[in-house]
Each structure stands twice: as structure tokens, then as C-alpha cells.
Amino acid sequence: MEVPTQVGSPIPAHTPHAVSVTLPTWQDNVFYEEANPIVTSKMQCGYPRFFIHPLIQKLCARLVSKFGKENDAGMLFPSHKVAEQCRSFMKRYYQNPTGTVRIAEFDIASHQKPSDRVPIHIILFPQEAFPIAKQFWQHAGDNITSRMAEYCLRILEENDAQANKKESTDDALYRPKLTMGSRSRSHYSSNKLTKPTEEQKPKEEGVEQVTYLEERYGRNLPVVFANNAKVALKRRIAGVLMGHVDFDHENHTSVHDLDEQRQSKGDRGIQGLSEEDVYLYPCGMSSIFHAHQIAMLVGDASLKS
């Protein structure tokens, strides 16, 4: 499969979750820095801090239309804490506001699996304040991912399809059947289970194929292994990676394992380190932002950062 070289093409190619963009010439780079539409209008994707992924934009637009007011814009975050930080930032720098900055919190859950909930937090604000919100998005790094947006959109679309199907079924329940001259006394159809239509099958197969490719070749583990993956990463960074991970009844690393880690010098040759000394963040900018926040808490507050 040929890799596209046109300006604005995503990098890596042939994936909906690209994290960069093709700028093949020096002039393209100049136009990009100048925000010239010659380049920006052709961008299919970009670096996540500077270019909000199309899937995130799509999810945000849908939620703004549901929860926002006229002329509102929005921005999505994975937790209340981050959303509150964004609101505080906007209140500080949004001069002469024409509207309020507020937070909407809710869960996105499948009708088929109500227990599988995805918490979403959206900041709502007047459109003119978007550049200020974008500054927080760019410099804090605690943003939702394109995969999270894709997952939420998939749930919402499946719920919509199920709701539409239910409405059409409910209509059929109260609509006389066309008997075409039959003497049958059954005037109302029953609510029967139906097999997936030919239109639904390709979509379902497409989702399964993407999931397979992501997990097999994209090295993305199923969600059920998330905790184990975090433990492995922390242990590797601390230099105390071992083959066996022993969890207690609350799915935490056992006290015995932590003691063993601290007693050994590990790969780094430093005694006393354990996975509990390692803190994971979703991206580099997020780790820088939080390191800065910690430094301000423990350092001299009078000094300029």
C-alpha cells in the first residue's frame, strides 16, 4: 500500500488515529506556521496538541448541540479535575466575557451493556473564547484521545440505531397489518427478533476488523489488561520488572512484591525504588504540566516559573 505524500496527509498513513501531518516542502512548513489556508485547509490530521482530531471534533460537536446554548463551543476532557482546571484557566484569562464557562458531566453507556460506562466532561463556553480554551488544551496535555472519541461515537451511533429500530418496531405494533385480502384476524404485528440486515453486517465486520488490527499489529491491548500494562510499564521504568505480577484482593500489587522491589537494586542499580515511585501520564506535555504544578507546590512560590 503506497504511502501518501500529498500535503495534509496523515502520519502514520492508513490509520484513523494518526498523530502528525505530511508537510513535504519547506514552503508547506512556512504556510503551516503562518496558519495559511493553503495548507491548513488540506490537513486531515496533525499533532494532537495543535490539531484537535476529527473524531474528537465530531464527538464534541454532537455533545455541544445536546448540552450547549446557541453560539456555544466546547472542549472535552477525561475527568472533572481537568475540566475544572480548564474552567479556572479560562476564568482567569477570558476578559469581558459574553457568557458563562460551565461544565457538563455525564456517562456514555451502551444500551446493550449499561455497566460499561465512559465518563465524559465537556467545557461549554462562547465561541469567541475558544482560543483561550485551546491554550489550555495545548499546554496541559490532559486531553481525551481519538480512540476514546471513536469508542464513544460508536456507542452513541449504536444507541441511535437501536432507538430508531425500536421506534419503527413500536410503530409496527400499533399499525394494522396489510393482509392483502387475507381472512386473518391478526391485525397487529408482533415484536420479533430479527437478524442483522445486509447493511449492518459490513459495519459490524468493519469494527471487528479495526479492533483486530489495533490489538494485533497496533500493539493495543484489550481494556481488561490495562491495569497489568500499567504495572509492567512502571516496573520497567523503575528497573524492577519481574515476570510475575502478584495482585491483592483490590487488584493492587501486593505488599510482598513491593518490599522485594525496594530491597533489590534492579536494572538501575538503585536500591529502594519500586513501581510506586513511578507516575504515568497520558503524554509528554501532560507529564511536563504536572511536574510544573508539583514544583510550584513544593518550591518557592515567589519565584517566576
Side-chain angles (χ1 to χ4, degrees):
M1 191 176 292
E2 187 176 350
V3 177
T5 57
Q6 299 88 352
V7 61
S9 301
I11 300 175
H14 312 302
T15 171
H17 304 291
V19 293
S20 192
V21 65
T22 303
L23 300 173
T25 69
W26 180 254
Q27 188 60 57
D28 292 331
N29 283 268
V30 173
F31 284 152
Y32 170 78
E33 291 297 331
E34 294 174 346
N36 193 314
I38 293 176
V39 167
T40 57
S41 63
K42 298 175 183 177
M43 290 176 61
Q44 302 173 35
C45 203
Y47 189 55
R49 285 178 55 213
F50 301 100
F51 185 96
I52 299 178
H53 194 281
L55 289 171
I56 298 176
Q57 293 185 46
K58 182 178 179 180
L59 177 61
C60 188
R62 174 163 182 164
L63 299 180
V64 168
S65 67
K66 181 175 180 62
F67 297 102
K69 301 176 182 178
E70 188 177 1
N71 297 322
D72 262 356
M75 195 155 282
L76 302 176
F77 295 102
S79 72
H80 173 81
K81 181 178 180 180
V82 180
E84 191 59 61
Q85 287 175 334
C86 180
R87 179 164 65 174
S88 298
F89 179 86
M90 294 188 69
K91 285 183 175 180
R92 181 178 179 183
Y93 294 103
Y94 183 21
Q95 304 296 328
N96 304 317
T98 60
T100 58
V101 180
R102 56 208 186 278
I103 299 174
E105 303 179 16
F106 53 94
D107 291 338
I108 293 179
S110 170
H111 291 334
Q112 297 177 343
K113 295 181 179 179
S115 59
D116 294 345
R117 297 179 175 273
V118 182
I120 287 287
H121 303 75
I122 182 170
I123 289 279
L124 298 164
F125 47 82
Q127 290 180 3
E128 64 181 24
F130 180 81
I132 301 172
K134 182 70 181 301
Q135 287 183 42
F136 180 85
W137 173 280
Q138 180 175 330
H139 296 293
D142 289 333
N143 314 321
I144 76 164
T145 65
S146 59
R147 286 181 173 85
M148 181 177 180
E150 180 185 53
Y151 182 74
C152 291
L153 285 168
R154 186 186 305 162
I155 291 176
L156 292 174
E157 289 168 1
E158 288 173 355
N159 288 349
D160 287 346
Q162 189 174 352
N164 292 336
K165 183 179 178 181
K166 185 177 185 301
E167 287 177 6
S168 62
T169 304
D170 289 344
D171 289 343
L173 284 172
Y174 301 102
R175 186 174 63 249
K177 292 179 69 175
L178 299 178
T179 60
M180 299 298 290
S182 167
R183 292 290 184 181
S184 171
R185 295 176 61 87
S186 175
H187 297 294
Y188 301 95
S189 65
S190 59
N191 187 7
K192 297 179 180 179
L193 294 175
T194 58
K195 295 181 179 180
T197 64
E198 293 302 318
E199 293 180 355
Q200 291 173 325
K201 286 181 180 179
K203 186 174 182 180
E204 292 173 358
E205 291 172 358
V207 170
E208 291 178 359
Q209 184 180 34
V210 169
T211 301
Y212 173 78
L213 291 174
E214 285 278 308
E215 294 179 359
R216 177 65 179 84
Y217 298 104
R219 301 297 186 266
N220 294 310
L221 290 172
V223 177
V224 292
F225 298 115
N227 190 64
N228 299 55
K230 289 178 183 178
V231 170
L233 281 172
K234 287 184 174 184
R235 290 186 173 190
R236 182 180 291 276
I237 294 170
V240 293
L241 182 64
M242 295 178 287
H244 177 67
V245 179
D246 183 21
F247 294 112
D248 61 18
H249 66 283
E250 294 182 348
N251 210 26
H252 298 146
T253 305
S254 67
V255 175
H256 174 72
D257 262 8
L258 291 174
D259 287 340
E260 277 193 352
Q261 293 175 26
R262 295 188 182 101
Q263 290 170 11
S264 69
K265 289 189 176 181
D267 296 337
R268 296 187 178 277
I270 304 174
Q271 192 169 9
L273 273 182
S274 76
E275 65 194 68
E276 287 193 332
D277 299 308
V278 178
Y279 298 87
L280 299 179
Y281 293 94
C283 65
M285 192 65 237
S286 175
S287 64
I288 294 171
F289 174 74
H290 286 283
H292 179 256
Q293 296 294 305
I294 294 170
M296 289 196 299
L297 288 174
V298 301
D300 187 346
S302 65
L303 297 177
K304 188 175 181 180
S305 61

